[in-house]
Amino acid sequence: MRKITTVIVMLILLVSCKEEVIQKPDQLVEKDVMVNVMVDLSILEAIKYQNPASLDTFKINPRDFIYKKYKIDSLQFAKSNVYYASDYEDYKLMFEQIVQRLDAKKKSADSLVNLEKKKKNPILSKKKNPALLAKDTTKVD
């Protein structure tokens, strides 16, 4: 009888410890939207530190811009962030998504920059491709 009572008490303790550490906020930002917000915030913060004049010229505050874009407020964002951060594994997956999306955007931006460079300076593209350079030098008029 004593063993059964001990097992029941242990089960009750285990079940009662399974409570969520942080309660779900009333206005929780959806996980997909939260990832979008964090991606956009990362990009705008990078712009802010790489080229501060660009945001200052237009008087853009990155956080205010994001809050307006996604129709959320700072408290809603903060509470949602704390809620998602309370589950480490899930939060880690969110950040992996963020990193993947930022890498994809970086590749896209790099390819656009390279395309613009080639348009502005066609000699650079010929230097990279010796076959094109050889064709141009063999023509004699």
Side-chain angles (χ1 to χ4, degrees):
M1 181 71 172
R2 192 171 216 160
K3 287 184 180 181
I4 293 174
T5 308
T6 306
V7 170
I8 291 174
V9 169
M10 294 288 280
L11 282 172
I12 291 172
L13 286 175
L14 286 174
V15 171
S16 67
C17 291
K18 190 65 179 164
E19 290 181 37
E20 292 182 358
V21 176
I22 304 291
Q23 289 186 351
K24 187 175 180 178
D26 294 333
Q27 296 179 332
L28 180 69
V29 177
E30 293 292 323
K31 193 178 291 188
D32 296 341
V33 175
M34 192 70 169
V35 169
N36 291 339
V37 168
M38 293 173 106
V39 167
D40 287 350
L41 273 175
S42 298
I43 292 170
L44 285 173
E45 289 294 324
I47 291 170
K48 179 179 171 182
Y49 290 107
Q50 290 295 317
N51 189 3
S54 63
L55 294 178
D56 290 341
T57 302
F58 299 107
K59 297 188 179 5
I60 296 174
N61 180 341
R63 291 195 178 268
D64 291 341
F65 176 78
I66 296 299
Y67 296 151
K68 189 180 283 188
K69 178 180 176 182
Y70 290 100
K71 298 178 178 120
I72 60 175
D73 59 25
S74 59
L75 183 62
Q76 186 180 4
F77 174 75
K79 284 184 176 182
S80 297
N81 193 34
V82 168
Y83 175 75
Y84 288 125
S86 67
D87 182 5
Y88 172 76
E89 291 298 323
D90 201 31
Y91 204 55
K92 183 179 173 185
L93 291 174
M94 285 176 63
F95 270 92
E96 287 173 359
Q97 287 179 343
I98 292 166
V99 169
Q100 287 174 350
R101 290 184 50 194
L102 288 173
D103 285 343
K105 287 181 182 278
K106 182 181 181 298
K107 286 179 185 177
S108 175
D110 286 346
S111 65
L112 289 174
V113 167
N114 289 335
L115 184 63
E116 282 298 315
K117 284 181 182 177
K118 287 180 183 178
K119 284 182 181 178
K120 287 182 180 179
N121 196 353
I123 295 171
L124 286 176
S125 62
K126 289 179 183 177
K127 285 182 181 178
K128 289 181 181 177
N129 190 347
L132 290 175
L133 187 59
K135 287 180 184 178
D136 287 347
T137 58
T138 56
K139 290 183 181 178
V140 179
D141 287 325

